[in-house]
Amino acid sequence: MPPALRSRQKSCIACAEGKRRCNRQTPQCSRCLNRGVQCQYVNKAVPANEPQIITNHTGSESLSFIFDYDETTLSSDALNPSLFESESSDSWLTISPTLLTLPTLRPFRSCPEVIVLDNWSMRELLRSIRSFPQMFAQHRRTPFIHARLYDSYLPDAIQDAFTASASYCTKTPETENMILRIVESKADRLMQRDLQLDSLQDLLAATQALMLFLIIQLFDGDIRQRSIAEQNLPTLSTWTMQLHVRIDELEPSTTWPEWIFVESIRRTVILSAIVGNFYSALKVGYCTEVPLMSMLPFTAAAELWDASSYASWLSESHRAESDIVVYGSFSNAWENGCVSGRLDPFQKLLLTPCLGERFKEALEQAH
């Protein structure tokens, strides 16, 4: 919001950005108090004992205060079924009774303020993140893009991301420079878009595509590509924030395509934070945004994400006792032996920076 407009703003920043009514109560409005998030007013100085917004090396606003999920947001995750109409089967839109009510979520606060990543964690994260473009090109999916997400609708951003990823996977020393120029061109085209009026589906696609471009440029590009990608990191942060804010548009999800869409948003938000913070950690050696990242939600049951048909998804959703967990609680539960069964690549990626090399063997065995 331009400074001239913000100077007349009466609502707190969180309510204004979430387009929600603010009762202007001080020191915290009722909505921020209920959500357990920081409440700031534009013309009111922040007390010295309140946390400040951290600025990273790019000069952009930190991701820390972007991810402020509350219970209302987390229980409002659906999509109009007409957006997923398919010629295959009516069962694609059959209601799942167990997903009508989501469990109550509470912020996870028992975590360190800062994490210093060990060398093993760095290598594992780098290997996992760098595999996403190839995974997308070969299998049309990643840990944050479901294989069925774009069955009915293929946005231009995802088409460009697929083209760039497929080209990247075939690069040779002779073609590498040309392929990086293609990635740069596709990323530049994406950055020129005005997403203010785009649908939530297009916003999700643009965020996912930008993540794939940045992964190539940041972790396997030359100096020029890294410099360009660093300039685009604030846009990734902004689009991710918009995903979070606009998830309020959704109703409770009751069908497989609705669940796929919402879970893809959750995973995209988490991995967007991880990609940005991991790159920063590679440069400065540590991550300072652990507490708020620990409150990001996702579906813990790997079988739900991996389901290949409506029937298998419905069966797993009936068995799942609590579908949604928050990142920090999942890490703590796994470390204390309260999570049984295998880990999918997404879950292993989440646990790697939290647990580190001391859990190397356990993580490998659970995979």
Side-chain angles (χ1 to χ4, degrees):
M1 183 181 294
L5 296 179
R6 280 218 158 165
S7 64
R8 298 192 297 269
Q9 179 180 305
K10 301 299 183 183
S11 301
C12 73
I13 295 174
C15 289
E17 292 182 344
K19 298 180 180 179
R20 292 292 182 268
R21 184 182 299 276
C22 180
N23 65 1
R24 305 174 191 173
Q25 177 178 302
T26 58
Q28 281 189 301
C29 72
S30 297
R31 183 169 180 264
C32 289
L33 182 63
N34 292 335
R35 302 167 75 201
V37 300
Q38 183 186 38
C39 185
Q40 289 184 324
Y41 292 89
V42 175
N43 297 316
K44 176 178 178 293
V46 180
N49 61 344
E50 290 188 14
Q52 303 291 316
I53 294 179
I54 303 168
T55 300
N56 62 20
H57 66 277
T58 64
S60 64
E61 190 178 82
S62 168
L63 288 172
S64 290
F65 292 96
I66 287 175
F67 308 114
D68 54 350
Y69 286 88
D70 64 357
E71 294 169 18
T72 302
T73 298
L74 292 171
S75 62
S76 304
D77 49 352
L79 185 65
N80 187 340
S82 64
L83 297 174
F84 291 90
E85 289 178 357
S86 171
E87 300 177 358
S88 57
S89 171
D90 290 340
S91 67
W92 173 243
L93 296 175
T94 303
I95 292 176
S96 167
T98 61
L99 296 184
L100 290 172
T101 304
L102 295 180
T104 299
L105 298 176
R106 298 295 179 188
F108 179 84
R109 304 200 181 270
S110 178
C111 63
E113 294 290 329
V114 175
I115 283 183
V116 178
L117 299 178
D118 56 49
N119 290 335
W120 177 81
S121 298
M122 291 250 190
R123 288 194 301 269
E124 285 297 300
L125 284 173
L126 183 60
R127 180 188 59 78
S128 296
I129 292 173
R130 288 179 64 180
S131 71
F132 294 164
Q134 182 175 3
M135 188 184 303
F136 185 54
Q138 294 181 346
H139 306 289
R140 72 170 189 171
R141 60 175 172 80
T142 70
F144 58 95
I145 301 176
H146 194 278
R148 300 291 299 269
L149 180 61
Y150 296 112
D151 275 2
S152 302
Y153 174 55
L154 190 60
D156 291 342
I158 293 299
Q159 294 182 42
D160 285 348
F162 183 85
T163 300
S165 297
S167 300
Y168 171 70
C169 293
T170 63
K171 71 180 177 69
T172 65
E174 292 75 21
T175 63
E176 181 174 8
N177 182 61
M178 178 176 289
I179 288 172
L180 288 177
R181 287 169 56 192
I182 291 173
V183 174
E184 178 183 340
S185 175
K186 299 292 187 184
D188 183 66
R189 174 184 172 184
L190 181 61
M191 296 292 293
Q192 300 306 314
R193 299 181 55 183
D194 180 5
L195 293 179
Q196 294 300 318
L197 300 178
D198 276 2
S199 67
L200 187 55
Q201 293 87 341
D202 286 337
L203 178 59
L204 174 61
T207 306
Q208 292 173 335
L210 183 57
M211 284 178 61
L212 290 169
F213 295 144
L214 291 182
I215 287 169
I216 295 172
Q217 293 175 302
L218 289 174
F219 303 118
D220 202 24
D222 54 23
I223 295 177
R224 170 186 169 83
Q225 295 300 322
R226 287 197 297 274
S227 176
I228 293 172
E230 284 189 358
Q231 296 175 42
N232 292 341
L233 278 170
T235 299
L236 178 65
S237 171
T238 299
W239 290 356
T240 304
M241 176 176 63
Q242 290 179 11
L243 275 180
H244 158 60
V245 170
R246 294 184 62 183
I247 202 172
D248 281 341
E249 299 173 7
L250 306 178
E251 300 295 331
S253 59
T254 58
T255 66
W256 193 27
E258 293 170 356
W259 181 87
I260 287 173
F261 181 75
V262 176
E263 184 62 19
S264 295
I265 292 179
R266 294 189 189 110
R267 288 177 173 230
T268 298
V269 168
I270 291 179
L271 286 180
S272 172
I274 287 178
V275 168
N277 282 296
F278 176 56
Y279 182 70
S280 178
L282 286 175
K283 300 187 71 174
V284 302
Y286 53 87
C287 174
T288 60
E289 302 184 2
V290 181
L292 289 174
M293 283 183 63
S294 73
M295 294 189 289
L296 300 180
F298 69 100
T299 301
E303 293 77 12
L304 286 171
W305 180 262
D306 294 337
S308 58
S309 67
Y310 172 77
S312 59
W313 174 82
L314 185 60
S315 175
E316 292 298 333
S317 68
H318 279 296
R319 284 208 300 264
E321 295 180 0
S322 179
D323 296 332
I324 310 299
V325 298
V326 291
Y327 187 174
S329 295
F330 176 76
S331 174
N332 185 63
W334 194 89
E335 183 176 357
N336 288 285
C338 300
V339 177
S340 59
R342 70 179 182 86
L343 294 175
D344 67 2
F346 172 72
Q347 294 171 342
K348 182 180 178 183
L349 187 151
L350 295 185
L351 292 174
T352 295
C354 300
L355 304 181
E357 189 170 9
R358 62 196 176 98
F359 283 89
K360 174 182 176 181
E361 292 185 6
L363 287 172
E364 290 176 346
Q365 293 172 4
H367 182 53

